Amino acid sequence: MNKKLKSFIPLAVLLILAYIILSARPLGKELHFVPQWTIDISRPTKASPETDHLFDDAIPFKLGQMLGYFTEEGKVLFSSSFDYKATVGSACYAPYSTHSENIAVYSPKGSRIAEIAHTGFPFFTDDGMYLFLPGGSSFSRVGDDGAVLWTYESYAPVTAFATSPAGCAAGFADGTVLSFTNDGVIDQQFAPTGSKYPVILGIAMSASGSMIACVAGQDRQRFVLAKKAGTHTEIIYHEYLKHEVTRQVPVLFSGDEKTVYYHEADGLGVVRTGSHKSSHIALPGKILSLEEAYPGGNVYAFSRSGDDCTISVIQPFDTHAGSFTFSAASAFMAVKGDALFIGRDSSISRLDIIVK
């Protein structure tokens, strides 16, 4: 071996070591869905005095023809079957039919606590109780005692509706968007326009009530983000969608109001409310619900195609971190803290999300 080659070998080794050190990258962390427990909810369960203290943090469910409440630790506190339809909130539930003239309201423990003495279709959320009136163009806010607090009547059918701690927002078939305070005062009113057919197919109102987002129109459908500006409403961002949906779709503001998510034909649209940066994430099937783990945390999308149900995890602001698919005739998704709860036919399972 000549002297030139001998002197080159140490230099080559140093270059290789330097390349390895400088080009090294940590392995990407993976998302893991870790099962914690599975409970059976096929049989009715009566509330017990020994579990009264657990109802404050109970999680409501409606799965097939069963409804009830369970804990994060996997204990069914109360469950009951219903014949036709039902609405379930964290504070109460109500079974009903299409011809119910008096709708009984029950506590999570199964005791009757109020009656809505009107015909209609009740809708309960964590933000309040509402009743959609026959004809589809009017709705009322209902108090804890079942009494109607206020009513809004329109000539156009309500095609999208959402609640928030600040009140509620409604979209109509004629393209009108309205938001209401909890006292029934109209807070915002505008019409996105820009499409041949102006129907509102999805809507959300931010927690503060300052912003409204909606999926609007047919034939040049678009996503619209609007913000309250003094006594009027200003559209601060809009985007025409490449492919259109013809059904009602979920829209969700993050709890910190920095991001809004909406279902579009090819999956999930995501928009930053401040910078107006947008992103599009391909997801399978029809997205039926969107849930956020905590303000500014992961968002979970529950989508369905036939009996195939998919749960997708979106990390802020637009990273599709992972997903899994299961088959079920009836299913639901609930989120509390960092825990994910999946209802599947006659059982509910808890899955914890771990990144490692």
Side-chain angles (χ1 to χ4, degrees):
M1 187 178 295
N2 58 46
K3 292 182 178 180
K4 288 185 177 181
L5 185 59
K6 286 182 179 179
S7 62
F8 176 74
I9 290 175
L11 178 62
V13 172
L14 288 173
L15 290 172
I16 292 171
L17 289 173
Y19 174 79
I20 292 173
I21 293 170
L22 293 174
S23 63
R25 294 290 185 273
L27 294 174
K29 293 183 178 181
E30 294 184 350
L31 206 66
H32 297 267
F33 300 91
V34 182
Q36 298 298 312
W37 48 254
T38 297
I39 53 177
D40 178 64
I41 51 91
S42 60
R43 301 172 187 172
T45 301
K46 291 184 178 181
S48 168
E50 289 76 18
T51 60
D52 279 355
H53 63 288
L54 300 176
F55 276 93
D56 289 342
D57 295 317
I59 302 164
F61 75 86
K62 185 174 70 171
L63 187 60
Q65 296 303 124
M66 296 292 292
L67 61 78
Y69 297 82
F70 65 96
T71 69
E72 292 183 66
E73 291 71 32
K75 183 174 183 59
V76 180
L77 300 177
F78 171 80
S79 64
S80 176
S81 62
F82 59 95
D83 294 329
Y84 185 62
K85 290 187 176 183
T87 180
V88 184
S90 59
C92 55
Y93 70 91
Y96 65 95
S97 70
T98 54
H99 305 293
S100 297
E101 294 184 0
N102 295 288
I103 301 168
V105 180
Y106 297 86
S107 75
K109 300 175 186 178
S111 58
R112 185 165 174 158
I113 55 174
E115 181 179 277
I116 303 173
H118 299 272
T119 301
F121 305 93
F123 176 63
F124 298 171
T125 75
D126 290 345
D127 303 311
M129 299 162 58
Y130 294 85
L131 181 71
F132 290 91
L133 305 180
S137 59
S138 305
F139 61 91
S140 301
R141 172 128 193 189
V142 179
D144 293 340
D145 60 355
V148 170
L149 302 177
W150 53 264
T151 298
Y152 177 78
E153 297 181 352
S154 173
Y155 69 90
V158 179
T159 52
F161 187 82
T163 66
S164 93
C168 67
F172 297 83
D174 65 353
T176 301
V177 172
L178 296 173
S179 73
F180 302 81
T181 67
N182 286 316
D183 295 329
V185 177
I186 296 177
D187 197 37
Q188 298 186 61
Q189 181 173 355
F190 66 99
T193 68
S195 305
K196 185 175 181 180
Y197 306 103
V199 59
I200 307 300
L201 294 173
I203 198 166
M205 184 166 70
S206 64
S208 67
S210 63
M211 288 184 287
I212 295 175
C214 64
V215 175
Q218 291 278 280
D219 195 353
R220 297 201 80 198
Q221 187 172 88
R222 63 177 180 155
F223 168 78
V224 173
L225 176 62
K227 187 173 184 178
K228 187 177 180 181
T231 58
H232 68 281
T233 300
E234 177 186 357
I235 293 178
I236 58 175
Y237 175 82
H238 81 97
E239 179 179 356
Y240 284 102
L241 306 181
K242 291 182 179 179
H243 302 101
E244 299 190 353
V245 293
T246 57
R247 60 185 181 276
Q248 292 180 322
V249 295
V251 183
L252 174 74
F253 276 99
S254 60
D256 59 12
E257 304 190 10
K258 293 181 179 179
T259 312
V260 61
Y261 304 83
Y262 64 94
H263 180 25
E264 57 182 353
D266 301 322
L268 189 68
V270 188
V271 175
R272 279 293 202 186
T273 59
S275 65
H276 302 156
K277 180 181 179 181
S278 68
S279 184
H280 301 271
I281 303 169
L283 295 179
K286 300 176 182 178
I287 299 177
L288 302 180
S289 64
L290 296 167
E291 297 279 351
E292 186 182 31
Y294 51 84
N298 292 337
V299 167
Y300 299 89
F302 171 46
S303 59
R304 185 170 192 136
S305 179
D307 283 347
D308 291 333
C309 304
T310 301
I311 305 294
S312 303
V313 183
I314 312 300
Q315 293 178 326
F317 104 92
D318 64 349
T319 301
H320 185 189
S323 62
F324 66 92
T325 301
F326 60 94
S327 294
S330 59
F332 82 94
M333 174 186 72
V335 177
K336 191 174 180 67
D338 289 322
L340 175 67
F341 304 93
I342 304 298
R344 178 182 178 185
D345 294 330
S346 60
S347 66
I348 299 174
S349 300
R350 172 174 171 164
L351 295 146
D352 285 355
I353 311 301
I354 297 176
V355 180
K356 63 179 180 178

